[in-house]
Amino acid sequence: SYELTQPPSVSVSPGQTASITCSGDKLGDKYACWYQQKPGQSPVVVIYQDSKRPSGIPERFSGSNSGNTATLTISGTQAMDESDYYCQAWDSSTVVFGGGTKLTVL
Amino acid sequence: EVQLLESGGGLVQPGGSLRLSCAASGFTFSSYAMSWVRQAPGKGLEWVSGISGSGGSTYYADSVKGRFTISRDNSKNTLYLQMNSLRAEDTAVYYCAKDPGYCSGGSCYSEAWYFDLWGRGTLVTVSS
């Protein structure tokens, strides 16, 4: 079965750029998306189809996908961005999530 | 208001059954694929099952295939998940999630295979 791998945790200082990676076999040949989940809340999509931002998502969120790696980039990270982030792709009629990355802003 | 509201969770013994429901409002329910996604306590997201807008196609994770059945009633704007032979490892918050679909070349499809709207979830606990 298809697998997506994320680092368990990433730390960033306020105002700096955070990058969260998601690795999978030939992931660049598929569409990747990213969800933000804060404690006690439901997930919210922040990037879909590799690099598109839904309305209402700040411009500081961007995405890319090439080769075996998709990347979520948060520019000018703010304290409110501290959350769990999950990548997701679709393979063979199955939705696959990465294990999640806890982003700490300190 | 566009929203999804899950119900039907609770405490069930191993080997037991439960049926979850998800009431949709604020959008044309039959035009969109839907899925169930679960999250065990303190763990990550796990996709469970999906269904096309018409209900004619269904999809399952290997971990629930043969035990869970997804269905929908488009006349009632409601998504269901029938869960049989429940195990302790099925303990989780179960979310229903809407697929936004996409249009291309003059045709529209209910499955884009990501989720733009999530419910608040319903907790299922499998324990004796």
Side-chain angles (χ1 to χ4, degrees):
Chain A
S1 61
Y2 195 74
E3 294 184 357
L4 295 173
T5 301
Q6 299 179 234
S9 62
V10 168
S11 297
V12 64
S13 299
Q16 299 305 301
T17 296
S19 295
I20 301 174
T21 58
C22 174
S23 299
D25 184 48
K26 298 180 181 178
L27 180 56
D29 292 343
K30 313 176 192 300
Y31 275 137
C33 66
W34 293 89
Y35 300 91
Q36 176 192 63
Q37 186 181 32
K38 297 187 176 183
Q41 297 185 18
S42 304
V44 174
V45 62
V46 295
I47 293 291
Y48 68 97
Q49 290 180 358
D50 296 338
S51 59
K52 298 180 180 178
R53 262 183 305 104
S55 59
I57 300 301
E59 290 185 7
R60 63 180 180 273
F61 288 86
S62 63
S64 63
N65 185 16
S66 179
N68 294 322
T69 304
T71 303
L72 173 68
T73 302
I74 309 173
S75 305
T77 307
Q78 300 183 8
M80 68 174 66
D81 300 329
E82 186 163 286
S83 298
D84 292 328
Y85 291 87
Y86 297 90
C87 61
Q88 181 241 297
W90 173 77
D91 177 78
S92 301
S93 300
T94 300
V95 171
V96 181
F97 287 96
T101 298
K102 181 176 181 60
L103 178 67
T104 301
V105 182
L106 41 69
Chain B
E1 181 184 2
V2 177
Q3 66 176 1
L4 300 170
L5 185 62
E6 302 93 338
S7 61
L11 175 64
V12 61
Q13 293 188 340
S17 298
L18 211 56
R19 188 177 86 152
L20 306 183
S21 300
C22 172
S25 60
F27 62 96
T28 306
F29 182 66
S30 61
S31 295
Y32 300 97
M34 299 290 295
S35 278
W36 289 98
V37 178
R38 68 186 180 184
Q39 188 169 34
K43 301 298 184 182
L45 301 172
E46 179 189 15
W47 176 79
V48 172
S49 181
I51 187 169
S52 62
S54 67
S57 297
T58 57
Y59 313 90
Y60 297 93
D62 288 343
S63 59
V64 306
K65 202 172 294 183
R67 300 189 299 124
F68 290 11
T69 302
I70 191 172
S71 61
R72 63 192 297 162
D73 186 335
N74 286 343
S75 68
K76 295 183 178 179
N77 291 343
T78 303
L79 175 72
Y80 302 100
L81 184 68
Q82 177 66 43
M83 304 186 295
N84 298 330
S85 303
L86 283 161
R87 307 166 179 166
E89 54 264 36
D90 295 319
T91 293
V93 173
Y94 284 73
Y95 296 99
C96 69
K98 170 185 165 288
D99 186 314
Y102 72 100
C103 294
S104 176
S107 297
C108 291
Y109 307 88
S110 68
E111 298 107 307
W113 294 112
Y114 71 96
F115 310 115
D116 66 342
L117 179 67
W118 297 65
R120 293 193 172 193
T122 186
L123 176 62
V124 173
T125 303
V126 184
S127 174
S128 55

